Amino acid sequence: MKKKIALIGYGVIGKRVADAIALQEDMELAGVCDVISDWRIQAAVSKGYTIYAATPEAKSDMEQVDISPAGNMTDLLDVADVVVDCTPKKIAVQNVQTYKEREIKFILQGGEKHETTGHSFSAENNYASALNRDSTRVVSCNTTSIVRTLSALKRAGLLESARGTLLRRATDPWESHLGGIMNTLVPEKDIPSHQGPDAQSVDPELDVVTMAVKVPQTLSHLHYWNVRLTRKADKKEVIEAFQTSTRITLISYNDGLVSNNTIKERYLDMGRPWGDMYEVALWQDMLKVEGNELYYAYVVDNQAIVIPETIDAIRALTGIEESAERSIKKTNESLRII
């Protein structure tokens, strides 16, 4: 039987998770719950998703624009097997007690702290440890990319330590009219920045340090990495290690993919919804190996990279698929990850 999934929060991540759930053969979307009544939730209505109102005020607002909620959040939880909370940072943690009281499995996103669930998820790294758990947290977009790439090197026996610099987008594209930096760069004052310790919440063995700078653009994040390898290696061996991940795609300057906007355009041309890039896009012609030192750079789609991870996390928590490899394959095929 298909597992029924409750979705709390229909924003940047939530709407993508909803559509991804709808593509899966072993799960179905029980409903979407939110406080909004504007064009965002109206898009969910147009797709035929069942709508629930998070508060009495939200119910009244929805009814004023001819949306008829099927009930409130607890009504939605009553008909679901697991809940995916995609509400804004620090909101989800307020819902956790409700999920625990109702004894429903739950998945949080990377804006919440690791301690909230006691488990942080990345499908290629620790799927097995999430099997049949009561809860997990899908780590943030940047952390997901870090764990994916470093785990690929680790599986090949090449990873000793890693030091990365992150150029972080200022805000999500749809919110750029509300705020965000302009004509400046804002370095994160703490070293390491939070992404390195966050990656270690997935894999404590990772020797990783990150530094981050917020930059005035919204399309994506850009990472630069210097990795000390366990031994001397050549470029071919490193590329083969990255190719063991189905969610790392190798791109080239020679193909005209010289910037985050050109990469975004490529995925729009491919017909991906919203031009989403679920993969880490890593420049293979920039990649350089000198003895036991590796240098590379890649681009992260902050709106999309965690979507396949969330689908795999649903399978792990519910136990409908015990194999990480099979779950990843199902998810990749449904999202046309190549």
Side-chain angles (χ1 to χ4, degrees):
M1 292 181 62
K2 292 184 177 182
K3 295 296 183 181
K4 297 180 182 291
I5 316 303
L7 179 68
I8 312 299
Y10 194 75
V12 169
I13 300 299
K15 66 182 180 182
R16 289 168 165 84
V17 171
D19 285 2
I21 291 170
L23 294 172
Q24 309 308 310
E25 295 182 349
D26 51 4
M27 61 186 77
E28 63 180 90
L29 186 63
V32 172
C33 183
D34 211 318
V35 296
I36 55 177
S37 58
D38 60 14
W39 59 272
R40 292 166 291 174
I41 202 71
Q42 291 167 24
V45 173
S46 70
K47 292 180 179 182
Y49 298 152
T50 304
I51 307 302
Y52 291 78
T55 65
E57 293 78 16
K59 179 177 183 291
S60 176
D61 291 343
M62 289 178 182
E63 290 173 340
Q64 289 182 29
V65 292
D66 296 324
I67 297 174
S68 299
N72 57 30
M73 187 172 81
T74 56
D75 294 326
L76 175 56
L77 299 182
D78 283 341
V79 297
D81 298 300
V82 62
V83 56
V84 179
D85 194 312
C86 296
T87 55
K89 184 177 181 180
K90 297 183 180 179
I91 299 297
V93 70
Q94 300 174 30
N95 295 330
V96 166
Q97 189 58 38
T98 298
Y99 304 150
K100 289 181 176 179
E101 289 173 355
R102 303 189 76 82
E103 298 183 344
I104 185 169
K105 293 174 182 286
F106 61 92
I107 297 169
L108 307 182
Q109 296 296 315
E112 306 307 323
K113 294 184 181 299
H114 169 78
E115 292 75 20
T116 308
T117 62
H119 188 274
S120 294
F121 183 86
S122 181
E124 291 178 336
N125 184 283
N126 67 348
Y127 185 98
S129 65
L131 280 172
N132 299 308
R133 283 184 57 89
D134 290 333
S135 64
T136 191
R137 162 185 170 265
V138 174
V139 291
S140 72
C141 49
N142 282 313
T143 304
T144 295
S145 75
I146 293 168
V147 174
R148 273 191 205 166
T149 51
L150 296 187
S151 292
L153 295 172
K154 184 179 177 181
R155 286 193 298 270
L158 291 172
L159 179 66
E160 181 174 316
S161 61
R163 306 293 181 258
T165 300
L166 289 58
L167 305 179
R168 301 178 55 210
R169 62 94 179 94
T171 188
D172 284 331
W174 87 273
E175 291 184 314
S176 57
H177 66 292
L178 299 175
I181 63 174
M182 179 73 71
N183 195 36
T184 190
L185 303 174
V186 183
E188 192 166 322
K189 73 179 184 66
D190 293 324
I191 301 175
S193 60
H194 72 272
Q195 293 86 5
D198 199 27
Q200 291 167 331
S201 74
V202 178
D203 185 349
E205 294 181 354
L206 292 179
D207 183 347
V208 56
V209 177
T210 52
M211 299 178 288
V213 181
K214 188 181 292 186
V215 298
Q217 60 87 33
T218 66
L219 282 180
S220 58
H221 306 297
L222 175 63
H223 287 217
Y224 277 93
W225 284 89
N226 172 207
V227 171
R228 185 171 295 279
L229 304 175
T230 55
R231 54 179 170 78
K232 291 184 178 180
D234 58 26
K235 183 172 181 175
K236 180 175 181 291
E237 185 177 8
V238 170
I239 287 178
E240 287 175 348
F242 284 134
Q243 288 175 325
T244 63
S245 169
T246 61
R247 293 176 181 171
I248 297 173
T249 186
L250 300 176
I251 60 173
S252 297
Y253 266 71
N254 290 338
D255 291 331
L257 299 172
V258 299
S259 58
N260 60 352
N261 62 299
T262 55
I263 295 168
K264 182 71 171 181
E265 193 71 12
R266 177 202 187 197
Y267 280 85
L268 285 165
D269 289 347
M270 288 169 60
R272 290 276 186 89
W274 299 287
D276 282 349
M277 181 174 72
Y278 309 113
E279 308 91 331
V280 174
L282 192 150
W283 278 288
Q284 59 182 328
D285 44 358
M286 181 192 297
L287 186 151
K288 188 178 183 67
V289 183
E290 292 186 345
N292 68 338
E293 285 199 275
L294 165 64
Y295 305 87
Y296 59 90
Y298 60 74
V299 169
V300 180
D301 187 336
N302 46 286
Q303 300 181 108
I305 191 173
V306 300
I307 306 308
E309 305 292 334
T310 302
I311 298 301
D312 291 326
I314 292 170
R315 288 202 182 95
L317 259 60
T318 58
I320 54 177
E321 178 54 74
E322 293 188 352
S323 164
E325 183 178 355
R326 288 195 296 268
S327 179
I328 290 168
K329 186 174 187 292
K330 290 176 184 178
T331 303
N332 287 357
E333 289 177 351
S334 69
L335 297 178
R336 294 185 294 156
I337 296 175
I338 56 174

